[in-house]
Amino acid sequence: MISICCPSRGRPTMAKRMIDTAYQTVSDTKNIEFLIYLNDDDPTLSEYKKYIDSKHFTIGPNQSTCYSWNQLAEKAKHDIVFLAGDD
């Protein structure tokens, strides 16, 4: 089981593509979780909400990538935590 943590900003279609691609490559989607950190000042925030299920994202202040990964890793439910980028 794996948790994929990914900060994203301004690339909602790339984040959706990452999730869709991963789901297409695993046989049991229950063994994978996506956690995406979004900045509350992201001008494309409404697009993320349109493309990605809200269970996948956390919205918070604009901070460093490392801060975002740490926030997401704290929420991870699985034993393996993968830090990813959406680009």
Side-chain angles (χ1 to χ4, degrees), residues 23-70:
Y23 278 148
Q24 291 171 1
T25 61
V26 297
S27 58
D28 185 1
T29 59
K30 293 177 188 172
N31 288 330
I32 190 170
E33 95 175 309
F34 289 94
L35 302 166
I36 299 174
Y37 188 91
L38 304 172
N39 297 332
D40 56 9
D41 66 345
D42 188 333
T44 61
L45 194 56
S46 62
E47 290 180 52
Y48 281 99
K49 291 178 180 179
K50 182 172 62 173
Y51 292 132
I52 300 170
D53 189 323
S54 63
K55 70 180 179 183
H56 295 303
F57 57 79
T58 297
I59 299 172
N62 186 357
Q63 298 290 329
S64 72
T65 300
C66 291
Y67 172 86
S68 302
W69 277 327
N70 287 336

